[in-house]
Amino acid sequence: MTHTPTSGSTVSGPAWLPGPRRAAWAESVDRLRDAATTEPGRLRIIGAVLALLVLVFGAVTAWQISARSTAARDVATRSEPLSADAAEIYRSLADANTTAAGGFLVSGQEPAAVLRRYQNDVHTAAQLIANAAANSQGSADTQNQVTLLNEQLPVYTGLVETARANNRQGLPLGGAYLRYANDQMNGTLLPTAKKLYQVETGRLHDDYAAAESLPWAAWGLGVIALAGLVWAQRRTYLRTNRVFNPGMLAGTAAAGLALVWLVVGHTWARVDLGDSWDHGGKSLQVLNQARIGSLQARGNENLTLVARGAGAAYEDAYEKGMTTLDGPRGQKGAGGLLSEALSLADDSGGRTPVQQAVDGVAEWRSRHAVANGDDTNGDYDSALAYVIGGKDSSGKEITQTTGQSFDAVDKGLQQAVDHETGEFQQTAGDARDALTGLPEGAAVLAVLAAAGAVLGIGRRLSEYR
């Protein structure tokens, strides 16, 4: 006779059949819970957690400080030098344009020294452009600017050579070609070089930010790991009345040393990086702008005379450039890039050459006023003599020229740039050195701390065997 289950009843298998299988993780949790009910089990868990925590602290420290160390190294050896190279590209192009214009003020064949200076400027710019291309590191902005510079520089030099050829034959067309070359320089080459400088300076700021950013994760993990080690020792003391556990004590000392090294090393590096910017990087940017501004002013001054009575636009550009450089005319100390550079200079080595440039600009403006007055009155020969030297219309030899003043300004600014570069390299190098060995040292100390924690816990576990 068969038995039919009634509605709502359940059918279960024989008692000897196995029940449903439990997940492996559930069984692991049960074993862990059971182990935690005994002191040996709790000690094993504490040891494992402490070792893992200290090792994670070491790994995160090594990772974060390695990134900051690389950024600090790049500030000193890559991004700042590339930013300086970009500024030098701009300066070389501006000086080439100024020199080319100056050569046209001499009748017939331009002096060999002028031609040599022009050629050196073009060669320097070409070399630095190639260097920027080689170090672009996949930057699309840098590659775009470098490509445009490579394409347009031969166009500019071709216009200059055509202008020279016409000038040697005494043809007025030479001045027209020179103005075309100047438009090419100021309309395409210099704006592109300026964009390249801005891109490289942006990379410099990014490297500064990366190097100075606080390693919060490493600091937090270090504090937690150290607190865990101290708690474990206190727990041992309360349960055993033993004041010291050698293994745990060694682990705590290693973790504490790693944390102190991390905080002190990175803080020191941040201070040095701040100094490198405040006492070098910032001044260099202002000085580079001032040097470029003086070159452009000199170029516009020369082109005013090349234009032979049609240079009002160049004269206006000269006045605007000098105002940017040294403030409004007749208002000494009223502002401008040179005043800013003077305020940023923090020692006599930086202040003295800038002050020489300030004095040179004042002298330059005074002599230019005389030359411009002669040009406005139609005395071209006298104006030319005050700009490049020679005899004025009365036959008097002019020995104090605007060209000499410009050279004094450029020399002072170059000396200031060299001084500030040295200060920058010193402090940026100190920042890089402050992080040297920290990633590797933190990793080693973390391993030692983990080993100390495990040995200390192992010593307690041996008492239960």
Side-chain angles (χ1 to χ4, degrees):
M1 179 178 179
T2 60
H3 173 72
T4 304
T6 61
S7 178
S9 65
T10 59
V11 178
S12 59
W16 52 267
L17 289 177
R21 298 188 61 183
R22 301 186 65 208
W25 67 267
E27 294 180 357
S28 298
V29 169
D30 287 343
R31 285 196 298 269
L32 187 61
R33 186 185 300 116
D34 292 340
T37 60
T38 65
E39 181 61 12
R42 285 190 287 268
L43 287 173
R44 290 188 181 93
I45 294 172
I46 291 171
V49 170
L50 287 176
L52 178 62
L53 190 58
V54 172
L55 290 174
V56 171
F57 162 55
V60 171
T61 298
W63 165 55
Q64 290 196 315
I65 298 302
S66 291
R68 284 153 181 78
S69 180
T70 299
R73 184 184 67 247
D74 286 346
V75 165
T77 63
R78 185 183 64 85
S79 50
E80 195 284 328
L82 287 176
S83 177
D85 282 353
E88 184 63 20
I89 290 172
Y90 195 115
R91 192 211 65 80
S92 296
L93 292 174
D95 191 63
N97 196 49
T98 297
T99 303
F104 269 68
L105 298 178
V106 182
S107 300
Q109 183 75 31
E110 63 186 325
V114 174
L115 178 60
R116 186 164 54 250
R117 179 169 176 170
Y118 167 81
Q119 291 173 337
N120 287 339
D121 284 333
V122 171
H123 179 68
T124 298
Q127 279 192 323
L128 292 175
I129 291 169
N131 184 52
N135 291 279
S136 63
Q137 295 186 344
S139 170
D141 282 341
T142 298
Q143 290 175 352
N144 290 339
Q145 310 315 315
V146 167
T147 298
L148 188 56
L149 287 171
N150 276 323
E151 291 174 350
Q152 297 302 316
L153 184 56
V155 176
Y156 169 79
T157 55
L159 289 171
V160 171
E161 291 307 318
T162 302
R164 281 202 182 101
N166 283 277
N167 190 50
R168 283 193 292 269
Q169 299 175 49
L171 301 176
L173 195 58
Y177 271 106
L178 183 65
R179 289 192 290 274
Y180 295 152
N182 179 70
D183 291 342
Q184 173 73 10
M185 177 64 74
N186 287 287
T188 302
L189 282 167
L190 289 182
T192 303
K194 183 177 181 180
K195 176 63 176 177
L196 177 62
Y197 173 71
Q198 291 171 341
V199 170
E200 297 298 346
T201 301
R203 291 169 68 180
L204 173 61
H205 289 310
D206 289 343
D207 285 338
Y208 262 112
E212 292 180 333
S213 61
L214 296 175
W216 289 113
W219 286 5
L221 284 168
V223 171
I224 293 172
L226 193 60
L229 287 164
V230 171
W231 170 83
Q233 289 186 87
R234 183 175 182 276
R235 181 181 184 276
T236 300
Y237 168 71
L238 293 176
R239 289 175 177 268
T240 65
N241 289 325
R242 290 190 178 91
V243 177
F244 297 117
N245 180 306
M248 296 288 288
L249 187 62
T252 303
L257 179 58
L259 181 59
V260 170
W261 190 1
L262 168 63
V263 173
V264 173
H266 188 263
T267 301
W268 187 358
R270 290 186 85 237
V271 170
D272 284 335
L273 284 169
D275 284 345
S276 72
W277 175 251
D278 293 336
H279 305 298
K282 191 186 298 185
S283 295
L284 283 171
Q285 293 202 347
V286 175
L287 289 168
N288 283 327
Q289 292 176 36
R291 199 173 181 204
I292 289 166
S294 69
L295 284 163
Q296 291 176 324
R298 177 62 177 172
N300 285 316
E301 181 180 56
N302 289 339
L303 286 168
T304 300
L305 295 180
V306 171
R308 294 270 184 162
Y314 296 119
E315 177 63 22
D316 289 343
Y318 164 85
E319 284 297 337
K320 290 179 181 178
M322 295 299 277
T323 298
T324 301
L325 188 64
D326 197 41
R329 184 168 54 181
Q331 300 181 30
K332 189 173 181 179
L337 292 169
L338 289 179
S339 293
E340 185 178 356
L342 199 58
S343 67
L344 289 171
D346 54 6
D347 59 18
S348 60
R351 281 190 296 270
T352 299
V354 176
Q355 186 59 56
Q356 291 173 352
V358 171
D359 295 340
V361 166
E363 186 179 65
W364 182 3
R365 280 182 147 177
S366 176
R367 294 173 180 177
H368 176 84
V370 177
N372 187 55
D374 288 338
D375 188 39
T376 301
N377 294 327
D379 190 352
Y380 178 81
D381 290 338
S382 294
L384 183 63
Y386 273 103
V387 172
I388 66 172
K391 295 181 179 181
D392 63 10
S393 56
S394 66
K396 177 183 176 182
E397 188 75 25
I398 303 300
T399 58
Q400 296 181 335
T401 67
T402 62
Q404 292 172 337
S405 300
F406 162 74
D407 288 340
V409 171
D410 191 60
K411 181 180 178 181
L413 291 176
Q414 180 61 60
Q415 289 176 346
V417 166
D418 292 342
H419 175 78
E420 298 298 334
T421 298
E423 285 201 334
F424 172 86
Q425 290 294 339
Q426 177 64 46
T427 50
D430 290 342
R432 178 191 58 209
D433 294 342
L435 298 176
T436 300
L438 178 52
E440 299 82 2
V444 171
L445 287 172
V447 171
L448 293 175
V454 170
L455 290 174
I457 293 296
R459 178 70 177 273
R460 286 283 294 121
L461 283 171
S462 67
E463 298 172 1
Y464 289 90
R465 298 192 183 111

